[in-house]
Amino acid sequence: MVNVNNTSSYMDETKKQIIKESNYTYRDALEVSAYLIEVGKFERFYKEMQIHDLQKELDEMPE
């Protein structure tokens, strides 16, 4: 199977690049997301991602 790293046009550019540079495809990411939703862990990881993104944004702001 060919590794095609297509990404969603709605995805953040940084996250698109992470997938493109990985050994995973956009489909792999969606399948993992579906699994995390199914087992009830998606919300936690999603919130951690949001916190990480906000912290990065704050770190880039002038004091």
Side-chain angles (χ1 to χ4, degrees), residues 13-56:
E13 288 299 321
T14 303
K15 290 177 179 63
K16 280 185 191 182
Q17 195 60 33
I18 290 168
I19 291 175
K20 285 180 182 179
E21 293 174 358
S22 75
N23 290 324
Y24 301 105
T25 65
Y26 179 61
R27 179 180 175 180
D28 295 334
L30 287 175
E31 288 180 0
V32 170
S33 293
Y35 171 76
L36 290 172
I37 290 167
E38 181 181 32
V39 298
K41 294 186 177 184
F42 180 85
E43 186 173 359
R44 176 178 178 80
F45 287 110
Y46 185 73
K47 290 196 181 292
E48 285 181 13
M49 180 191 73
Q50 288 177 314
I51 290 167
H52 177 265
D53 290 348
L54 287 172
Q55 186 61 55
K56 188 175 172 184

